[in-house]
Amino acid sequence: MITEKDFFELTTEPIDVGEVARRFVPNDCGATVALDGYVRQFTKGRETLYLEYESYEPMALKEMEKLIAEAHKQFEISLVGIVHRLGRLEIGETSVVISVAAPHRRAAFEGCEWLIRELKRTVPIWKKEIYAGGETWVEGEKNLTADEHR
Amino acid sequence: MIVEVLFFGATAEATGERAIEFSLSENVNADEAFAAILKSFPGLQQNFKNSLLFAVNQEYSGGDKIIKNGDELAVFTAVSGG
C-alpha cells in the first residue's frame, strides 16, 4: 500500500529538485535522500546533444505506484516521491527525481537506490539519444523475469 | 474481435504506427495475440529480436492470459527511463 502523501508524476516541465525533496517533510523523519538524475553530455566518449523521452503514461504511473508500494514493504521509509520528465531535455537538465524520506538515513539511501534501479527496469519510459551525426532509441536491459510478465 | 495495439519509441518508429485496431480470432491468449501482431509487422522481430516487451491493459503480460474484445495491447522495447 502507498501512503496518502506518496506521489508519482510525469511532467514536460522542468523539475525543481528541492521542491520535490521538500514537498513533504514528515514529522517522524530525520532524513530525505533525493536522487537528481540528469542528462549526461559524454557517454563513453560520445557526445550527446540532447535527449527525448516518451512514455506509455497510464502504465508508467501504475508501475511507479507499484514500486512505491513495494519500497514501503522492503524499507523502513515514510514517504516516496517520484517525478519523471518527458519530452526534449537538454544537457544537465533533470530527467528524474526520486525522493525518499525516512526516520533514519540508511533506509532512505537504500530505498532510493532500489527505486531508481527498478524504475529503469520496469517503468515504460524510453529515451532517444540525439548525438552529432545520428540518433538512437536507447534500449534498456530486458531482464524482467517470466513471472513478472504475467 | 478487435483490440487496440499501441507502439512506443523504437517500435512506433519501426512500424510507423502509434495506435492501431487489430483483428484477432476469439479466445486467443496473450502469446498467440503477440505472435499475430509480430507476424503483421515483421520488422519488429528483425530489429528488436528478444528485447520486445508486451502489455495487456497496461500490465506486463504474456502466456496464456485470454485476450478480450476491446483490450489494449502494447508492444515496446526494453525500457530506458531514468
Side-chain angles (χ1 to χ4, degrees), chain A residues 107-122:
Chain A
F109 274 109
E110 291 174 355
C112 190
E113 164 62 22
W114 182 85
L115 280 158
I116 185 63
R117 195 167 65 236
E118 291 299 302
L119 178 144
K120 291 169 82 86
R121 201 171 68 84
T122 64

Side-chain angles (χ1 to χ4, degrees), chain A residues 53-56 58-59 62 66 84 95 120-128 137-140 142 144 148-149, chain B residues 6 8-10 13 18 48 50-53 55 57-62 72 74 76-82:
Chain A
Y53 285 83
E54 75 168 65
S55 173
Y56 182 7
M59 181 172 171
K62 285 187 189 181
K66 284 185 204 165
H84 202 299
S95 54
K120 291 169 82 86
R121 201 171 68 84
T122 64
V123 177
I125 297 174
W126 303 269
K127 58 177 162 259
K128 182 194 255 183
W137 283 101
V138 180
E139 213 171 88
K142 182 184 169 184
L144 293 174
E148 286 173 302
H149 275 261
Chain B
L6 307 179
F8 297 91
E13 243 173 52
R18 291 204 156 261
F48 308 116
N50 297 319
S51 81
L52 291 173
L53 295 171
N57 296 332
Q58 304 166 6
E59 305 274 352
Y60 284 109
S61 198
E72 179 179 299
F76 47 81
T77 57
V79 305
S80 58

